[in-house]
């Protein structure tokens, strides 16, 4: 073997070794040269950034290659001009389904032969799952504290309520021939019932959820929820439109809890439209090309007046409501049910007004078995 051949062979070995090293990393890696072009990207980086394997990323300008992630592109280009590069920073980027995704990253310089930086390397990981776990842990702590407080409050509130109900019953008998006074008594009865309902709903919200897992068709659960919400609301003139993806596989959920979640959302839509308008229901699978759906998305859209910005920010907080007789626990309970199924719930403005609730449920929650 001649000297030149040996050098080329060694270079080929080094290049193959470098490639295996890059692909074997347990974090995403993306390198950029001084001219702002991407030199290297490994498979995990493509996965986190939702970039297809066949996309010719290497050699492309950063802004063009990361057109779907303009904030990340700007961070990389700014880093080329910085003397102190970001270390252990976080950034929110978009995912393929337009959900927020958080990455934790570090940027390191790549030294060149001339002593100047030849480029930069971005090392990053997807922190979305970690943040969700932290949020769920905080929620569990809050709910545990709320449960203890709620049990004590319920006992203290229900005792005088029971006394009021007995007294009101006596007043009813004494005032049955005095309709004016009797109307005031009936108002007391109505308010006592409302307080009782709020106490009961508060206890239910604070109680830990223990799902009973079984396969269910999401569209069937949604139809039953619409029927129940319609019956609870009473007479209405709401037109229901449906767009269900056919032949979706069942999901492993607690059917009763999911139906309760959907009833709360549909009933909220009926109330927002004041019993008159159009309700659109959508169910579709979420999957990469050529694969079975890993999750199911439900969209419930109304054409009501929409949600005010100050209310939307806190809409899933307990006891936050814009309704005169609302308890403010229906939507927080819906979120609690979605999260105990390792799913998510979100709310947004409709494209032509109104409100859209979006729920995503994984087909099989991690580590769970089908009941029975």
């Amino acid at each position: 073997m001649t000297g030149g051949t040996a050098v080329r062979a060694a270079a080929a070995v080094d290049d193959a070794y470098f490639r295996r090293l890059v692909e074997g990393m347990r974090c995403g890696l993306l390198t950029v040269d001084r001219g702002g072009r991407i030199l290297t990207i490994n498979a995990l980086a493509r996965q986190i950034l939702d970039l297809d394997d066949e996309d010719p990323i290497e050699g492309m300008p950063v802004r063009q290659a990361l057109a779907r992630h303009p904030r990340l592109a700007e961070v990389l280009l700014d880093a080329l001009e910085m003397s102190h590069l970001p270390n252990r920073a976080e950034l929110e980027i978009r995912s393929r389904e337009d959900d927020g995704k958080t990455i934790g990253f570090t940027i390191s310089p790549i030294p060149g032969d001339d002593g100047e930086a030849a480029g930069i390397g971005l090392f990053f990981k997807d922190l979305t799952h970690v943040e969700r776990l932290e949020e769920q842990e905080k929620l569990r702590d809050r709910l545990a504290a709320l449960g203890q407080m709620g049990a004590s409050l319920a006992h203290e509130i229900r005792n005088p309520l029971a006394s009021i109900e007995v007294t009101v019953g006596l007043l009813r008998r004494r005032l049955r021939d005095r309709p004016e006074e009797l109307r005031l008594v009936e108002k007391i009865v109505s308010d006592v019932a409302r307080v009782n309902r709020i106490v009961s709903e508060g206890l239910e919200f604070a109680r830990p959820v223990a799902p009973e897992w079984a396969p269910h068709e999401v569209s069937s659960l949604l139809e039953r929820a619409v029927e129940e919400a319609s019956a609870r609301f009473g007479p209405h003139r709401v037109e229901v439109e449906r767009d269900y993806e056919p032949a979706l596989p069942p999901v492993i959920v607690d059917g009763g809890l999911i139906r309760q979640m959907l009833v709360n959302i549909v009933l909220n839509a009926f109330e927002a439209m004041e019993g008159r308008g159009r309700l659109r229901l959508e169910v579709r699978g979420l999957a990469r090309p050529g694969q079975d759906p890993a999750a199911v998305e439900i969209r419930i859209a109304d054409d009501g007046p929409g949600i005010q910005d100050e209310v939307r920010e806190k809409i899933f907080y307990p006891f936050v409501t814009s309704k005169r007789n609302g308890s403010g626990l229906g939507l927080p309970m819906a979120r609690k049910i979605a999260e105990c199924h390792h799913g998510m719930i979100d709310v947004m403005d409709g494209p032509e007004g109104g409100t859209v609730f979006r729920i995503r449920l994984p087909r099989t929650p991690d580590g769970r078995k089908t009941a029975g």
Side-chain angles (χ1 to χ4, degrees):
M1 180 182 293
T2 65
T5 304
V7 169
R8 286 193 297 272
V13 170
D14 287 345
D15 184 65
Y17 178 81
F18 171 74
R19 280 288 173 185
R20 288 195 297 271
L21 176 66
V22 168
E23 293 300 333
M25 286 184 171
R26 302 172 82 176
C27 66
L29 171 65
L30 190 152
T31 63
V32 180
D33 67 13
R34 262 191 299 217
R37 292 181 175 273
I38 292 180
L39 296 176
T40 312
I41 182 170
N42 65 0
L44 185 54
R46 286 179 177 271
Q47 179 183 334
I48 295 172
L49 298 176
D50 287 323
L51 300 173
D52 295 328
D53 293 341
E54 59 270 17
D55 287 348
I57 300 299
E58 292 169 336
M60 290 176 61
V62 169
R63 282 199 178 92
Q64 181 182 349
L66 302 179
R68 296 186 66 253
H69 305 293
R71 292 184 63 196
L72 179 58
E74 291 303 320
V75 167
L76 291 171
L77 293 175
D78 288 344
L80 291 171
E81 308 297 328
M82 296 168 65
S83 56
H84 295 84
L85 297 176
N87 182 39
R88 294 187 179 182
E90 294 184 7
L91 179 71
E92 286 192 7
I93 60 175
R94 293 173 55 192
S95 70
R96 192 181 297 271
E97 290 85 17
D98 291 331
D99 284 341
K101 180 183 286 188
T102 302
I103 62 169
F105 68 92
T106 293
I107 299 179
S108 300
I110 302 174
D113 295 334
D114 57 2
E116 298 291 331
I120 55 173
L122 173 74
F123 302 86
F124 61 103
K125 285 190 173 184
D126 185 354
L127 301 182
T128 307
H129 182 62
V130 175
E131 290 202 340
R132 284 182 180 172
L133 290 177
E134 290 177 351
E135 287 182 4
Q136 290 173 358
E137 186 64 31
K138 290 177 182 177
L139 179 60
R140 279 194 292 269
D141 291 342
R142 290 197 298 268
L143 290 178
L146 183 61
Q148 294 174 355
M149 180 184 71
S152 299
L153 283 176
H155 179 73
E156 296 299 326
I157 292 172
R158 280 177 166 164
N159 282 342
L161 283 180
S163 176
I164 292 172
E165 285 179 320
V166 172
T167 304
V168 166
L170 295 173
L171 283 173
R172 267 177 166 166
R173 286 197 292 272
R174 294 186 181 184
L175 299 175
R176 58 176 174 264
D177 297 326
R178 298 164 66 179
E180 288 294 329
E181 287 84 351
L182 196 58
R183 271 196 292 271
L184 296 176
V185 172
E186 295 301 334
K187 179 70 167 58
I188 296 173
V189 172
S190 174
D191 287 344
V192 167
R194 179 168 174 264
V195 173
N196 256 324
R197 177 173 57 83
I198 292 174
V199 170
S200 298
E201 290 180 0
L203 283 174
E204 182 184 6
F205 176 71
R207 190 178 297 123
V209 177
E212 296 181 4
W213 307 97
H216 290 275
E217 300 288 341
V218 171
S219 56
S220 298
L221 293 175
L222 183 54
E223 285 298 316
R224 291 165 64 187
V226 171
E227 291 177 8
E228 184 175 338
S230 179
R232 285 172 55 179
F233 184 82
H236 63 81
R237 287 194 286 174
V238 174
E239 177 186 350
V240 181
E241 298 179 356
R242 297 167 174 84
D243 182 10
Y244 299 162
E245 182 177 332
L248 279 177
V251 294
I252 308 300
V253 296
D254 184 310
L257 287 176
I258 295 300
R259 190 171 71 252
Q260 178 187 352
M261 174 189 72
L262 295 173
V263 167
N264 288 348
I265 297 171
V266 173
L267 191 57
N268 186 79
F270 273 60
E271 292 170 349
M273 295 184 289
E274 298 182 346
R276 182 179 307 183
R278 186 174 67 254
L279 183 71
R280 180 171 176 80
L281 310 175
E282 298 180 14
V283 178
R284 64 186 180 95
L286 300 176
R288 293 186 179 276
Q291 298 181 9
D292 290 334
V296 173
E297 179 177 275
I298 306 165
R299 293 194 179 215
I300 300 173
D302 65 61
D303 62 355
I307 301 173
Q308 298 175 353
D309 291 341
E310 59 269 22
V311 175
R312 183 189 292 108
E313 293 176 1
K314 302 178 180 179
I315 196 168
F316 294 111
Y317 288 12
F319 307 110
V320 173
T321 180
S322 59
K323 298 168 191 169
R324 202 175 118 197
N325 294 319
S327 66
L329 288 170
L331 293 180
M333 189 65 192
R335 181 180 183 181
K336 180 180 177 182
I337 292 171
E339 290 181 344
C340 85
H341 284 78
H342 307 283
M344 58 81 68
I345 182 171
D346 192 17
V347 62
M348 66 196 79
D349 292 330
E352 299 177 0
T355 303
V356 180
F357 281 88
R358 180 176 60 173
I359 307 105
R360 291 186 181 176
L361 299 171
R363 280 186 57 200
T364 307
D366 296 338
R368 304 292 181 180
K369 295 182 180 179
T370 302

